[in-house]
Amino acid sequence: NQRYMKAFRHLYGPVPSRRLGRSLGIDLVPHKICTYDCVYCQIGKTTERTLSRKEYLPKEEVLEEVKAFLLEGNSSIDHFSLSGSGEPTLHSQIRSVIEGINAMSSIPVAVITNGSLLYEEGVREDLLQADIVLPSLDAVSPEIFTRINRPHSGLSVEKVIEGMVAFRKIYKGQIWLEILFCKGVNDGQNKLFRMKR
């Protein structure tokens, strides 16, 4: 695995994942560019909290690396995972990346996202060709949303939930909703009941 880390700038792994088996990670944004600054983030503090979608990394470079990985043929993987160091849906060409991977390989593509930009119709459409979308929803109340996810000021939890509902209506693939419980913050019985609804 170390060899892959050195050889590629935008790919990492393959890494073992409980959810996705052997997963090859694909980074679409530079380190910690995100719409949130979650208290629990394993990567650390957000360096740029933004809602601006752009081509942070050249899509051609990303797809060239995927092609090179597949041509090496040294490692079998179960999924390509678009996730990495920040929020992948901030990359304005994520649809082209997904389509490019699908054209090269039948290995399923998963998008690990915080789901915050699904209120944008363009983002919802960009993800339609992915096999699995794993959005996060850690809170349904504005207070807890702000406390756990520390979102960009342009986001509200209502907007995020509306986006997820709208995406579910048009997306034919699998959605694996992820909830991270923070002890004493979003794990009380009344809060769990509100999440369930």
Side-chain angles (χ1 to χ4, degrees):
N1 286 358
Q2 287 305 311
R3 202 162 60 80
Y4 294 124
M5 300 289 282
K6 286 179 188 139
F8 298 121
R9 290 177 57 212
H10 309 303
L11 310 186
Y12 59 93
V15 293
S17 162
R18 280 197 317 268
R19 302 161 297 183
L20 298 167
R22 279 175 59 77
S23 168
L24 185 74
I26 302 175
D27 245 334
L28 292 185
V29 294
H31 187 75
K32 273 320 295 251
I33 291 180
C34 195
T35 53
Y36 291 169
D37 183 18
C38 297
V39 293
Y40 59 75
C41 185
Q42 66 194 40
I43 301 166
K45 190 162 177 50
T46 293
T47 51
E48 186 184 338
R49 195 166 16 185
T50 184
L51 300 181
S52 297
R53 299 189 75 209
K54 56 188 180 187
E55 192 173 354
Y56 286 94
L57 304 170
K59 70 178 184 204
E60 290 83 7
E61 273 185 27
V62 175
L63 290 171
E64 278 300 316
E65 289 196 2
V66 171
K67 184 178 178 183
F69 175 86
L70 290 168
L71 286 172
E72 278 188 7
N74 293 331
S75 185
S76 64
I77 58 167
D78 300 307
H79 290 89
F80 289 105
S81 298
L82 305 184
S83 60
S85 304
E87 174 48 44
T89 61
L90 282 169
H91 197 290
S92 59
Q93 298 300 311
I94 190 170
R95 180 194 312 205
S96 298
V97 172
I98 294 168
E99 288 172 350
I101 295 169
N102 286 339
M104 283 187 258
S105 170
S106 60
I107 297 165
V109 175
V111 179
I112 302 173
T113 170
N114 62 28
S116 61
L117 294 178
L118 288 171
Y119 68 86
E120 289 192 30
E121 186 179 0
V123 174
R124 296 195 296 270
E125 290 175 354
D126 283 351
L127 299 187
L128 290 178
Q129 302 306 314
D131 298 281
I132 308 168
V133 175
L134 298 89
S136 299
L137 186 66
D138 302 322
V140 291
S141 77
E143 178 219 347
I144 306 230
F145 177 62
T146 300
R147 195 168 156 194
I148 292 180
N149 300 123
R150 299 188 295 201
H152 184 281
S153 58
L155 290 170
S156 69
V157 73
E158 293 82 9
K159 209 170 177 178
V160 171
I161 291 169
E162 282 167 20
M164 289 186 188
V165 170
F167 183 60
R168 174 71 286 176
K169 288 177 180 168
I170 62 165
Y171 180 60
K172 302 287 189 274
Q174 295 181 51
I175 295 179
W176 298 356
L177 186 67
E178 298 197 299
I179 302 165
L180 193 133
F181 291 110
C182 295
K183 192 168 177 63
V185 181
N186 66 342
D187 63 345
Q189 196 161 1
N190 62 330
K191 296 182 180 83
L192 295 178
F193 181 72
R194 286 189 68 191
M195 290 289 282
K196 186 178 172 189
R197 295 190 315 167

